[in-house]
Amino acid sequence: MKPQFTRYAAVGLLLSAVSLTMLIGRFNTSANPAAATTPQTPSIIITPFTPTFDVQDPSNLQEAAYFAWQEFIALTWPAPAQGQGNPATFPRGVPLTSATYGQAGPTGQVVFETFRHKVEVFPGTGAPNGYDPTKSDFGFSSAPKYQYAASVPPSKGQKVPAYPPFNNLDEVTQITLNAMYAGIIDPHSGTGGSTKTNQLEKILFQAKVNQTHYAYVAANKLWSLPGDAPIKTNTGGFVQTGNAQMFPPPYINLPRSDPKNKKLGTIECKMAWRRLNKNEDASKFYTARVRYYTNTVTGNPPTTTPGFVDSDQAGETWALVALHIIQKTPNAPTFIYATFGHINNIVDANGVPIEMPDGTTKPQYVNNPPFLPELTITPAAPTPGSVQKETTTAVPTVNTNSPQLYYHNATGKEVTTLADGKTLYTKPVTVNRRLFMIPPTIIAANQAAHQAIAAANSKAVWLNYRLINVQAQPIDIDDVTPENEPTYYLANEVVETNPSLQRFSGGLNGINGTIFNYSKFIAPQPPGKDFNTFFVVDPNKPPTKKFLMGGCMGCHGSQGQKAGGDFSVILANGPVQAPETVQENETQAALMRLNSLKYIRPYPPPPPKKPAPRRNLKRRR
C-alpha cells in the first residue's frame, strides 16, 4: 500500500489540509458570472443560470423545493451548438443565454445533456477523453467519447456517427435489484437483436457530472482509482469513526458551491429514458438522440460483445421520463437531492394519469394499493442484521401488455416473498400509484413553477415535468413522522421503483437485495445504530453528527460516502469497465449478483488489527 500512497502524493498535497472545509471551491472552474441570487421572498425565476445561492434553512422544504426548481430550469435550458466547430467556442455544461426557455437549442441539446457521462470521467482504460492539465477545465468540453475497458463497435446495421449522442444509456436495471418497464411498444425488427417486446419497453438510465465534479477528479487524477484504493478506504473509514490516526488523510472532498464568488458546486445528474410508441404524442416529452447497447455476436468461434445503437439511426424516438439532480452547497454538505418525473409516468390500465400535473393524486386512486399484487411491507426491526420484508398472499397475473409501469425483481434476490417466506416472487409487479404521495408543500411549488414557465413560454415541454420531492437536510429514522415520511424516503417512480428502493433506509445488501436499518457489517459496531450519513468538519475531531437516513441521501451515504466517494457513488466505484446491454435479464441471477458490485460497494473493512509481537514475526522467519 505504501507505493500507492507515493503515487497519490499530489492528491495528498491538495487534500490534506487541516480542515476539509478549507478546500471548498478550490477546483471549481465553472464560469457563471450572472448566476441567480437568492430571492428575498421565495419565487420561481426563469433564468438560465444554475443557482449558486444556498438553501439558508435546509430543514425548510419550501425553500429547498424552490431551489430544486431553479436547478431544473437552468439545467434544462437550451445549450450552445454542440458538434460544430471548436469546443472552446461551444463549451459543454453552460446555457445559451440568448435562447428562450423551452425552445430547442441550435443542435438540440439542453445543459444537463452536455455534462460529462460517468465513463467520460472514469473511463475503463486510460485518461478521460480530452484530458488536458494545461486547461482550466482540464478538457471538460471535449467531444463525447465513451471509453470502456474494451472498444465497443457499432451494432449490426449501425455506423459510427460524426458526433456521438450525448445521452449514453449504459445502465439497464435499477442498480441490479429490478428491471423497469413502461408503455406498449409494438415488436419490430429493431437493430442488433433488440426485437423482444419486453426489451423494447425497458427503461434505461445514465449518470452525468458537471465541470466542477470532473475538474476535481481530473486535477487529482482520481479517475483510475478502484473502489479499494487507500484514499477511498481512509476517506470512508474516517467519516465513520472520526479516527484520523487509524484512517489518515488525504481525504476525498468534492467542492461545494461558493455563493460569494458565484461558483457552482459539485453536481451529478441521473436520467431515465424510454422509447415512445407510434401512438404517443412525442411533443409532450423531451426527446433526444440516445445511445444504448445490445449484444453482438462476432468471430469464429462466436463471441458475444456489446455493440452500440444510436436511436436516430434505428428510427426510434426516446423520451426523458425522470431527472435526478444533486448539488453540494455549504449549508448542505451532504448534497441537496431533488428528483423530477414526467407528469404521465403513473397511469391506470386505460392509460389515464392517476395524478394531476402538480402531483396531486386524483381522489379515485388514493385508496388503491401501490402495487399489484398487493404487497405487505414490514420494515426492518431495530436489531442487528434485521431486514425489510415484502410479502404477498396472492399471485395475480399482471397484464404487462398495458400502458402501466411494471417492474420485475431480479431472480436470486430476497426481495418479494410469498407467505411461506421461502419462495421468491419473481413475476412482474404493476405500479398502481405512488407509495408515498407527493406532499402539499411540493405540490404548491410545482404549481408556482408551472405558472412561471407558462408565462415565459406556454408551449415549453418542461410544463410536462414536476418535482417529486427534495432532501436538503438529513433526518434520523427516530425523527420520521407522517408529515416528513415522503421526504425521508425520497424516491422516483421510474428510477427507484420496487419497495426496497421506495423505502430505502440504513443499508443495502446487493447480493440478496434486502434493505436493513441496523448493520452487522461494520466493525467495531457503533452503539445503537449503523449511521450512514455523516457531517465531517475537522479531520482531527470525530464527526459532529450522525444520522440513519433514508431515500436518495441515505443511499448516497451508504454507497457513496461510506465507500470513500463523498456521497458520489460513481466516484466511489471508479472506472466503468463495460456498458450494460438491453438483453441483460433480471432472471440471470449470477449476472445480477456480479453487476451489483458496480453499484453497491462493500463497506470499508474494519480497522486493521494490531501487528503481532516481534517475537512471533521472528519465529515465522
Side-chain angles (χ1 to χ4, degrees):
M1 296 177 70
K2 194 169 184 179
Q4 290 179 305
F5 275 107
T6 302
R7 179 184 174 189
Y8 307 138
V11 182
L13 291 174
L14 292 170
L15 298 179
S16 59
V18 173
S19 171
L20 293 176
T21 58
M22 294 173 65
L23 296 174
I24 298 171
R26 178 168 296 186
F27 303 111
N28 191 339
T29 58
S30 180
N32 192 6
T37 56
T38 184
Q40 296 299 314
T41 301
S43 60
I44 304 296
I45 302 170
I46 306 302
T47 172
F49 299 110
T50 307
T52 56
F53 62 81
D54 205 351
V55 173
Q56 298 304 308
D57 179 7
S59 67
N60 186 322
L61 188 60
Q62 182 194 45
E63 186 184 356
Y66 278 55
F67 179 93
W69 264 112
Q70 294 296 166
E71 288 183 311
F72 181 88
I73 292 168
L75 296 187
T76 54
W77 200 274
Q82 302 292 334
Q84 302 177 10
N86 190 324
T89 307
F90 302 106
R92 297 172 64 172
V94 298
L96 180 64
T97 57
S98 61
T100 299
Y101 184 61
Q103 292 182 342
T107 50
Q109 292 81 29
V110 295
V111 172
F112 76 79
E113 289 179 279
T114 66
F115 282 4
R116 280 210 167 208
H117 189 275
K118 67 180 182 181
V119 77
E120 293 187 88
V121 187
F122 305 100
T125 182
N129 52 296
Y131 167 71
D132 188 342
T134 68
K135 294 182 177 180
S136 60
D137 70 348
F138 295 91
F140 176 81
S141 290
S142 301
K145 183 179 180 182
Y146 308 123
Q147 186 172 300
Y148 298 96
S151 177
V152 180
S155 187
K156 181 181 178 181
Q158 293 276 297
K159 298 179 181 179
V160 177
Y163 209 82
F166 277 96
N167 300 295
N168 184 46
L169 312 185
D170 63 348
E171 300 180 30
V172 302
T173 63
Q174 296 182 352
I175 61 173
T176 71
L177 296 185
N178 63 284
M180 191 69 211
Y181 302 88
I184 304 174
I185 306 295
D186 294 329
H188 61 76
S189 59
T191 306
S194 180
T195 57
K196 292 184 178 179
T197 302
N198 68 325
Q199 292 174 6
L200 298 174
E201 294 171 349
K202 190 175 283 187
I203 295 177
L204 306 183
F205 311 93
Q206 68 173 341
K208 286 176 169 282
V209 308
N210 73 337
Q211 181 180 315
T212 305
H213 188 299
Y214 167 77
Y216 178 86
V217 171
N220 292 284
K221 297 184 178 180
L222 301 174
W223 62 72
S224 64
L225 302 189
D228 59 354
I231 190 172
K232 294 182 181 180
T233 299
N234 286 340
T235 301
F238 171 73
V239 297
Q240 295 176 77
T241 65
N243 190 328
Q245 291 184 332
M246 186 175 293
F247 301 102
Y251 305 121
I252 290 173
N253 186 40
L254 288 162
R256 309 174 193 181
S257 60
D258 182 355
K260 182 178 179 180
N261 295 304
K262 299 193 184 309
K263 291 183 178 180
L264 290 177
T266 299
I267 298 177
E268 292 186 358
C269 296
K270 184 169 186 178
M271 288 131 264
W273 299 77
R274 72 172 177 90
R275 285 182 184 85
L276 298 181
N277 67 43
K278 60 185 179 182
N279 297 317
E280 292 184 270
D281 185 355
S283 69
K284 300 299 183 183
F285 295 83
Y286 180 74
T287 59
R289 287 177 71 205
V290 306
R291 173 170 291 182
Y292 61 92
Y293 298 85
T294 66
N295 290 332
T296 299
V297 180
T298 58
N300 188 15
T303 59
T304 301
T305 58
F308 70 75
V309 176
D310 292 344
S311 60
D312 53 331
Q313 295 190 56
E316 299 173 339
T317 301
W318 282 75
L320 178 74
V321 290
L323 175 62
H324 276 331
I325 307 171
I326 72 172
Q327 182 177 178
K328 190 177 186 182
T329 75
N331 289 341
T334 56
F335 286 76
I336 296 172
Y337 300 79
T339 188
F340 294 79
H342 194 272
I343 60 175
N344 294 342
N345 277 346
I346 306 178
V347 297
D348 66 14
N350 297 314
V352 177
I354 73 162
E355 297 171 327
M356 301 294 289
D358 61 13
T360 303
T361 302
K362 296 176 183 177
Q364 63 268 38
Y365 300 103
V366 168
N367 294 322
N368 280 6
F371 303 109
L372 181 69
E374 190 169 354
L375 304 176
T376 300
I377 304 171
T378 306
T383 56
S386 177
V387 299
Q388 176 173 292
K389 295 286 187 181
E390 297 97 37
T391 59
T392 181
T393 57
V395 189
T397 301
V398 170
N399 179 15
T400 58
N401 189 31
S402 88
Q404 287 186 282
L405 295 172
Y406 70 93
Y407 66 87
H408 197 298
N409 286 318
T411 300
K413 296 191 176 185
E414 187 184 10
V415 180
T416 305
T417 62
L418 297 178
D420 61 6
K422 297 178 181 179
T423 307
L424 288 173
Y425 186 79
T426 57
K427 293 184 179 180
V429 177
T430 295
V431 178
N432 270 350
R433 69 160 171 84
R434 199 177 300 278
L435 181 59
F436 295 106
M437 297 183 190
I438 297 175
T441 300
I442 302 298
I443 289 172
N446 289 336
Q447 293 169 351
H450 288 166
Q451 184 177 2
I453 293 171
N457 182 358
S458 61
K459 296 182 179 180
V461 71
W462 305 111
L463 286 166
N464 296 305
Y465 295 82
R466 58 162 168 251
L467 177 66
I468 296 167
N469 211 330
V470 57
Q471 294 173 324
Q473 178 166 289
I475 303 168
D476 189 76
I477 194 169
D478 291 339
D479 298 323
V480 174
T481 65
E483 290 73 26
N484 66 21
E485 192 176 45
T487 303
Y488 179 86
Y489 289 112
L490 173 66
N492 189 292
E493 66 271 10
V494 295
V495 184
E496 301 95 6
T497 310
N498 75 358
S500 291
L501 294 171
Q502 286 279 308
R503 284 190 58 92
F504 177 87
S505 70
L508 173 64
N509 185 327
I511 300 300
N512 61 24
T514 55
I515 299 300
F516 50 84
N517 286 348
Y518 299 87
S519 171
K520 55 186 176 183
F521 298 117
I522 297 292
Q525 178 73 27
K529 297 177 184 175
D530 171 22
F531 299 107
N532 63 35
T533 303
F534 299 79
F535 290 110
V536 178
V537 176
D538 190 323
N540 297 315
K541 297 179 181 178
T544 56
K545 292 184 180 179
K546 301 179 180 181
F547 298 84
L548 181 64
M549 182 54 179
C552 294
M553 185 182 290
C555 186
H556 278 256
S558 174
Q559 306 304 321
Q561 193 190 36
K562 275 186 172 180
D566 187 23
F567 294 96
S568 170
V569 178
I570 60 176
L571 174 53
N573 289 344
V576 184
Q577 299 297 323
E580 297 172 9
T581 64
V582 292
Q583 288 95 341
E584 291 187 15
N585 196 308
E586 59 275 16
T587 64
Q588 299 171 283
L591 177 63
M592 291 297 105
R593 290 192 182 99
L594 179 64
N595 281 352
S596 69
L597 297 176
K598 296 189 294 187
Y599 304 102
I600 305 167
R601 298 297 306 169
Y603 291 122
K609 296 180 180 179
K610 294 181 179 181
R614 187 174 299 233
R615 61 179 178 273
N616 290 343
L617 294 175
K618 289 181 179 179
R619 202 169 286 156
R620 288 193 187 105
R621 292 175 187 166

